[in-house]
Structures are given as structure tokens and as C-alpha cells.
Amino acid sequence: MSTLQDTTNQQQLTAAESNPIRLKWMTGFPPNDDKIISAADGSFFNFPAIRYSVNHMREFFPNRIVEASREKTYKFKEKLDPNIDSLTFIPWSPISSSLSNGEWKSENQFFIETTMAPVTIKTFLDLNYVDGIIILHDGKIIYERYPAGLKPNGIHAAMSVTKSFIGFLASILIAEKTIKPEKLVTDYLPELSKSGFAGATVQQVLNMTTAIQYSEDYNNPNAEVWQYSQAGNPFKSEKYTGPKNIYKFLETVKKIPKQEHGELFGYKTINTEVMGWIISRVTNMCVTELISKKIWIPMGASTDGLFLLDSAGKAQAGGGFSLNLRDMAIFGEMLRNKGKMGNKQIIPEEAVELVSRGGDPKVFAKSEEYPKLKGWSYHNFWWITNNSHEAYMARGVHGQAIYIDPKAKMVIARFASHPLSSNKYIDPISIPAYEAIAEYLI
């Protein structure tokens, strides 16, 4: 995202209270002053305004279209299951303990702040501020809801789920022998020869095991994430003197002293920006064109997506994709079927295998960033669970997700606008909910 804001300490409202339709952002001719939100001052990303913004990113930033199919579009069959709403699950931990000593509370959470009471899927939607969710079973839609703002034909910001699309593009190009994962980053991008990425392989970038000095601690005003954000922000102040765009920022990144590339997992968005740059360098195409050509049109996506652009017109690979929920579900279903849609092989099966097989859990565990995700791993910008279903997923801040469970023949596509950005606050409810649905479907 070009303009990052931390929402941890902002006013928190319940899902119903913060519904963007109820709050009437940007409505009227002109809107009232207190209903106007903007990218220039960052107000678009403050909660509860973010619940409107995630559905309207094209109105805030320059962007480039990801073209959908103009001829054959994929249509799901439906077999809606009325029992899904009433399914229950137990959160991993009481909500208050998963929210940093109760820093965030809302009226619809009091009953599980100090207990481990069962939660229904219907309640889960509100607890996670869900904007839209689709559950597929064996290729059919069994559950579909749009609780707040998002429309079935609309598009929503995918946040860091974008990374998984970039990782999948890279996996396709690796399967096609266009990119060699064992090569050094600088073999493709000599511009980074004096940066902290020097000496790192493409695979280490894809696994986020590069030893680079970069923090995504939004509570630290000096964290490098803010420098990255400002470099990509197309609305720079006249006083700004830093790197002019994301490309230039990447050249300034330093290496961590006495740490080698490949030793430690560290979730750092700029790895994805490097991968997006490599992809565009070797193909001479923007990632927006490649997603359209290799994924969106072949699989029959019905709705144009878009990527936000930085100040040099670079598609923001770290989190700039907005797309339609059904199209995201189609993508997940294609992966579940190892690259096929019906009897047609849309993308190489090897590309799916590359993202779903996982990385090294020991390297992942060393980071200690995700203590709740014991036994998980990370590979090609995808998160690999440790459950017996061999499930894997794409994840984005504020609650975006694609969850693929091969054993249950299940795909979940979800958009949300949770007040807190980090998945560490969202996982204790979301992951056990996904697993409960999967167990029900087996």
C-alpha cells in the first residue's frame, strides 16, 4: 500500500457500527466534510474509513487494470448449505489475550474475552469484520456472504494476498524455465549489487529468508516500512528528499551484519517488490499484464482487477492488487485442482506443486514472529499449515485470505477490514474456523 497507517490505537467500533454503508462515507454532492476521506492525508486507511476504502482503491490512487476474460467466463455451480452459519469452533485463545492484553475490545466480543466458549461461523463474520466470504466444496459454492460494503460484482483490496499472486507468477515462470530460483538476485537485477540483496538467491527472496535490514513494525516511526511507503507514495510532500520510487528504495536496503541469507524467515514486504521487479525484467511485462495473460483470462475471470502504482508507475507487488471475490475463489479452486479448470490444464501443475509443498519449518520457527503457527512454513510467498489436511493459504493484513484444503476439497476466499492489521490478532479466530468447516465437509 502506498500510504500506510497503523490502526491499532484508533477508535474501535463493532462490525455493525463500522459498516461503511451505515457511516455513509463519500456520499452526497458534495459529501459532508466529516465524510470525506483521502489518500493524500492518509485518512482513507484509518479505521473505520478503511471499511469503505478497501472497496474503492481505484478512487484513491493511480492504478493499472488487470484485464479479465472478454469471452468465456467461469461460472460456479451452487449448492448452498444452511448449516454453515451454525457450525461452532473453539478459538485458539481468549480474544483479550490475543489482542495484546485487551488493547482492543468491542461489544460483540465480551463473551469470549476470558473464556474459551464456542463461536459460530455467523458470529465469526462479525468478529473478523468480514466484507465478503465464499466457501467452495468440491467446486461448488456452498456459502456466500457480503456483510459490509462489498458487492458481488465489486472488487476489494487483497493487501498481502497480492504477494501470493506474485509468488505464483514466479512459480509459473520457474516451471517454464524462464526464471532459475538458484540464481542470484543480482544476476537479474545488477542495480541491487550494492544493496543488502547482494548474495541472495531468487529462492531466498521467494521464501523471505533474505538477511536484510527492514522492519515492518508499524508502531515504530523509524521502521524501514515507513521509508518504503514514502518512496512508493505518489503524493509526496515538497519537503520529501528520500528515494523517488520503490525501485530506488530497494537500492538503499542494507544487509544485517553477521547474518547470512537463508538462515532465518522474516516477513518483509520488499522481498515481493524485488520479485515483481525480476518478473518484469525477464518478461519485459508489467505483472498486471502477466496475471491477465497467464491466469485471469485463461481461468475465465469475470471482473477486471487493478494494481496500485507507485510514483514511477510500478505496480505495487507487495500489496497493491484489488480483485473480485468470486474471481479469487476461482483462482483458489484452480490451485486445488493442480492447475486445471474442468479438464483443461490452465497453468503448469509444477507451479502449483512449487507453492503447496512448503518450505523449511525450522527456518520458519527461528523467527519467533508467529508463535501460534507452530510447524508452519513459508514458500514462494505462500503460507503452509502443519495440519493433516496439507492446507495452505495466502494471507493479507486486516483479514484477507485464500485457504485451500485439499483433503476437504475446500477453498475459502475472504475479504475483510479488521481494525487491527496484523494476522496475529486475527488467526486465533480465523484458522480454527477454517479447520472446523473443513472437518464438517469431510
Side-chain angles (χ1 to χ4, degrees):
M1 207 60 64
S2 294
T3 302
L4 295 171
Q5 297 285 328
D6 176 60
T7 58
T8 301
N9 297 314
Q10 295 166 14
Q11 180 187 8
Q12 309 307 347
L13 304 173
T14 66
E17 291 167 344
S18 61
N19 189 307
I21 297 173
R22 175 179 177 175
L23 295 181
K24 299 181 179 179
W25 298 108
M26 304 296 284
T27 59
F29 303 95
N32 292 333
D33 288 348
D34 64 345
K35 298 299 180 183
I36 296 174
I37 50 182
S38 167
D41 62 10
S43 60
F44 85 111
F45 215 56
N46 292 336
F47 184 85
I50 188 176
R51 304 208 71 195
Y52 173 89
S53 303
V54 287
N55 301 314
H56 297 269
M57 284 299 182
R58 61 161 52 97
E59 299 167 21
F60 295 102
F61 289 98
N63 56 81
R64 186 172 294 135
I65 293 298
V66 176
E67 187 175 335
S69 177
R70 296 293 183 263
E71 297 177 0
K72 296 181 179 179
T73 57
Y74 187 83
K75 304 294 183 185
F76 282 115
K77 293 180 180 179
E78 297 184 17
K79 190 178 181 180
L80 299 179
D81 187 339
N83 297 318
I84 299 293
D85 272 331
S86 59
L87 291 178
T88 62
F89 64 93
I90 302 295
W92 280 349
S93 59
I95 297 300
S96 59
S97 65
S98 68
L99 296 174
S100 299
N101 299 317
E103 67 187 10
W104 170 58
K105 298 180 180 181
S106 63
E107 293 176 5
N108 60 355
Q109 291 179 309
F110 72 94
F111 68 100
I112 50 174
E113 283 188 0
T114 57
T115 66
M116 298 290 283
V119 178
T120 67
I121 296 301
K122 185 176 181 180
T123 300
F124 148 83
L125 300 185
D126 283 343
L127 293 177
N128 279 261
Y129 291 74
V130 170
D131 299 326
I133 184 170
I134 289 175
I135 302 174
L136 304 177
H137 182 229
D138 203 13
K140 298 181 179 69
I141 292 178
I142 62 169
Y143 190 83
E144 185 172 17
R145 296 285 189 276
Y146 297 91
L150 180 64
K151 298 179 180 179
N153 64 348
I155 63 174
H156 189 289
M159 307 295 184
S160 288
V161 168
T162 305
K163 294 178 174 66
S164 296
F165 279 93
I166 299 300
F168 194 69
L169 268 184
S171 299
I172 292 173
L173 295 173
I174 290 169
E176 294 175 346
K177 312 301 182 186
T178 304
I179 289 177
K180 296 182 179 180
E182 70 276 8
K183 293 188 73 171
L184 296 176
V185 168
T186 50
D187 290 335
Y188 295 105
L189 303 175
E191 295 93 331
L192 298 183
S193 59
K194 295 182 179 180
S195 77
F197 289 100
T201 66
V202 172
Q203 190 61 63
Q204 288 164 346
V205 167
L206 283 165
N207 290 355
M208 292 214 189
T209 59
T210 52
I212 52 173
Q213 291 184 4
Y214 179 86
S215 168
E216 293 205 11
D217 181 0
Y218 297 139
N219 292 318
N220 179 0
N222 297 316
E224 290 84 356
V225 66
W226 299 110
Q227 299 167 34
Y228 155 68
S229 174
Q230 285 302 309
N233 189 353
F235 306 112
K236 294 180 174 65
S237 71
E238 294 180 356
K239 297 180 180 179
Y240 178 76
T241 59
K244 294 181 179 180
N245 52 60
I246 291 174
Y247 294 115
K248 294 299 182 183
F249 172 77
L250 294 175
E251 294 178 23
T252 71
V253 174
K254 306 297 183 184
K255 186 175 179 293
I256 298 173
K258 298 182 181 181
Q259 182 179 321
E260 298 303 318
H261 295 302
E263 289 183 355
L264 180 69
F265 169 76
Y267 188 82
K268 300 171 182 179
T269 291
I270 56 173
N271 282 301
T272 320
E273 298 293 1
V274 168
M275 197 66 238
W277 191 358
I278 291 172
I279 288 170
S280 292
R281 176 62 58 83
V282 300
T283 62
N284 199 33
M285 297 174 69
C286 180
V287 294
T288 56
E289 298 173 83
L290 282 166
I291 290 176
S292 178
K293 178 182 177 181
K294 291 187 173 291
I295 303 173
W296 238 226
I297 292 176
M299 78 176 193
S302 62
T303 305
D304 288 347
L306 64 85
F307 263 78
L308 304 183
L309 304 178
D310 83 341
S311 47
K314 178 191 184 298
Q316 295 190 33
F321 197 12
S322 288
L323 63 151
N324 177 265
L325 184 63
R326 283 203 172 199
D327 288 340
M328 191 161 78
I330 295 170
F331 175 69
E333 180 65 8
M334 181 176 64
L335 268 65
R336 186 186 74 82
N337 286 295
K338 301 186 183 301
K340 286 185 176 181
M341 295 301 292
N343 295 321
K344 186 178 180 180
Q345 192 76 38
I346 302 298
I347 44 89
E349 183 176 346
E350 182 185 346
V352 180
E353 195 275 332
L354 284 172
V355 302
S356 62
R357 70 184 181 192
D360 187 341
K362 294 180 180 179
V363 173
F364 182 89
K366 286 180 182 179
S367 70
E368 299 182 352
E369 288 184 68
Y370 301 95
K372 298 284 186 183
L373 306 184
K374 291 181 180 179
W376 285 44
S377 65
Y378 191 85
H379 188 72
N380 285 23
F381 301 147
W382 283 78
W383 303 77
I384 316 301
T385 76
N386 68 339
N387 66 34
S388 61
H389 293 196
E390 298 182 344
Y392 59 103
M393 68 181 301
R395 292 147 48 92
V397 292
H398 299 285
Q400 324 319 315
I402 306 172
Y403 187 90
I404 302 168
D405 186 318
K407 184 176 181 180
K409 299 181 180 179
M410 181 187 79
V411 173
I412 297 176
R414 186 186 80 175
F415 286 135
S417 45
H418 196 286
L420 302 179
S421 60
S422 175
N423 276 293
K424 69 182 179 182
Y425 303 119
I426 302 169
D427 287 340
I429 301 178
S430 293
I431 305 302
Y434 301 155
E435 292 178 340
I437 297 167
E439 290 297 330
Y440 166 75
L441 293 176
I442 291 177

